[in-house]
Amino acid sequence: MERNSQKPNFAKGIYLTKKQGKKGEFLELAIKEGDEYKKFVCFLSQKKDKFGNEQFTIYEKAKNDLPF
């Protein structure tokens, strides 16, 4: 039986980066769409979900409705 030596590319073109802003840390998410990247910023929410997990508020970086 031959083994497939090719690794899956399920996360190719997706980058999550921790950055420091004026009001604290945030995450920047970049997802490749064609030849360009669509960028989002993610902030840790003060509220946890019903299972106690942390939640993030996500905004598209290209829009002008960012909270800063």
Side-chain angles (χ1 to χ4, degrees), residues 6-13:
Q6 191 176 22
K7 293 182 180 180
N9 291 328
F10 64 91
K12 187 175 184 179

Side-chain angles (χ1 to χ4, degrees), residues 14-67:
I14 300 173
Y15 298 97
L16 185 62
T17 309
K18 185 190 266 187
K19 295 194 172 188
Q20 183 66 38
K22 292 179 184 177
K23 295 187 178 185
E25 290 183 342
F26 66 94
L27 299 173
E28 181 179 77
L29 176 64
I31 301 173
K32 189 168 188 175
E33 288 187 349
D35 292 336
E36 297 182 6
Y37 284 90
K38 193 169 188 178
K39 293 188 178 183
F40 302 88
V41 289
C42 312
F43 298 97
L44 183 61
S45 178
Q46 299 295 323
K47 220 174 154 184
K48 294 190 178 203
D49 70 3
K50 65 181 180 179
F51 301 107
N53 298 314
E54 293 180 331
Q55 296 185 76
F56 288 85
T57 304
I58 302 172
Y59 296 95
E60 189 172 345
K61 196 169 183 181
K63 292 185 178 178
N64 293 328
D65 62 353
L66 294 176

